[in-house]
Amino acid sequence: MNDLNYGEKSLAQRYADGLAQAYRQAGAGELWDEFAAAAHGVKAKKLARLKALYPELPESLAELLSIVDGSYWRKYQGRKFALYFLGSDLEEYPYYLLSAKQMRKNQDLAARYYGDYVDRLFDEEGVAVDQRIVRDSQTMRWLHFADCMNNGGTSQLFLDFSPSETGTIGQVVRFLHDPDELAVIADSFDDYLQTLMDGEYDFINEDTVEE
């Protein structure tokens, strides 16, 4: 895994450094070291394709991808890794970081799966949708960047570049299944990373790293 060369470490690099320490404190330093030794950042062409698709791509996410291009069944040096890299507002619940290629491939996933929720067609069934999310699925521009520990079946994370008038461009949306919910959990990717750091990476612990 290539470190970014900044005189002062970026938010993404500080996040990655803290994550490594969390793995070691949870007794899984060897697991992290194996991943870090094999992993690499996104290639410039792939990052450019992602930025062309999402011009509002946060610099902190681009920097994170420049450190490691995904941890979700990602092949590095001939070996596939599925390593927890992110969390959410769900306490101690881990997520995988998708690669730039996976993010591009999933560009229509949110509208396809959750368009009816965004259009508020299921209010009578109690589906909770944050008012900071637009009410028209045809205008959705969401970047799918993380899947939860059970391959995204329970929760997924998105960057929302098409919020409602009360929302913020680039806000982080969390989908949760059963009961289904779309909630804004951070105003920006920077705020999201900082929250995970402030929470001391609680999604990395003896229980989660054993799986």
Side-chain angles (χ1 to χ4, degrees):
M1 184 186 301
N2 296 323
D3 289 349
L4 294 174
N5 295 316
Y6 293 101
E8 182 178 345
K9 288 186 177 180
S10 68
L11 174 62
Q13 186 62 64
R14 287 187 283 113
Y15 177 84
D17 290 348
L19 183 61
Q21 184 62 26
Y23 267 92
R24 295 189 177 99
Q25 290 177 346
E30 184 176 345
L31 174 63
W32 174 265
D33 289 342
E34 289 178 0
F35 174 76
H40 58 74
V42 64
K43 293 182 178 180
K45 288 184 178 180
K46 290 185 177 180
L47 183 58
R49 292 187 191 118
L50 185 63
K51 287 183 175 180
L53 197 60
Y54 298 103
E56 311 94 332
L57 185 76
E59 187 61 28
S60 53
L61 179 53
E63 290 173 350
L64 200 62
L65 289 170
S66 295
I67 298 170
V68 52
D69 186 22
S71 68
Y72 184 42
W73 299 112
R74 181 69 164 86
K75 183 179 286 187
Y76 292 110
Q77 299 187 22
R79 178 182 173 186
K80 277 192 175 181
F81 290 89
L83 184 124
Y84 300 139
F85 209 88
L86 298 167
S88 75
D89 59 324
L90 305 177
E91 188 176 356
E92 298 186 349
Y93 198 61
Y95 294 73
Y96 305 104
L97 172 67
L98 272 61
S99 68
K101 181 179 179 179
Q102 289 168 327
M103 292 178 192
R104 287 190 294 108
K105 181 179 179 181
N106 293 350
Q107 62 178 297
D108 299 322
L109 182 146
R112 186 168 69 249
Y113 288 165
Y114 311 126
D116 287 349
Y117 293 174
V118 169
D119 291 333
R120 310 315 198 262
L121 298 181
F122 294 100
D123 284 350
E124 68 278 10
E125 296 182 13
V127 176
V129 182
D130 197 300
Q131 291 304 305
R132 288 168 287 183
I133 294 173
V134 73
R135 302 182 69 90
D136 182 1
S137 62
Q138 296 300 312
T139 66
M140 288 174 66
R141 294 189 59 256
W142 289 17
L143 186 160
H144 178 207
F145 70 88
D147 273 344
C148 72
M149 62 189 300
N150 67 337
N151 298 318
T154 298
S155 184
Q156 298 166 331
L157 301 177
F158 303 88
L159 286 178
D160 177 8
F161 300 122
S162 57
S164 71
E165 292 182 356
T166 59
T168 304
I169 294 174
Q171 63 192 9
V172 178
V173 174
R174 185 256 301 139
F175 168 74
L176 179 66
H177 175 58
D178 195 21
D180 287 3
E181 176 187 50
L182 287 169
V184 175
I185 63 171
D187 288 336
S188 69
F189 193 75
D190 283 18
D191 288 349
Y192 163 72
L193 287 185
Q194 189 62 57
T195 297
L196 298 182
M197 294 166 67
D198 292 344
E200 299 181 344
Y201 306 86
D202 66 5
F203 55 94
I204 299 300
N205 53 64
E206 292 180 358
D207 292 330
T208 56
V209 297
E210 285 179 352
E211 298 194 7

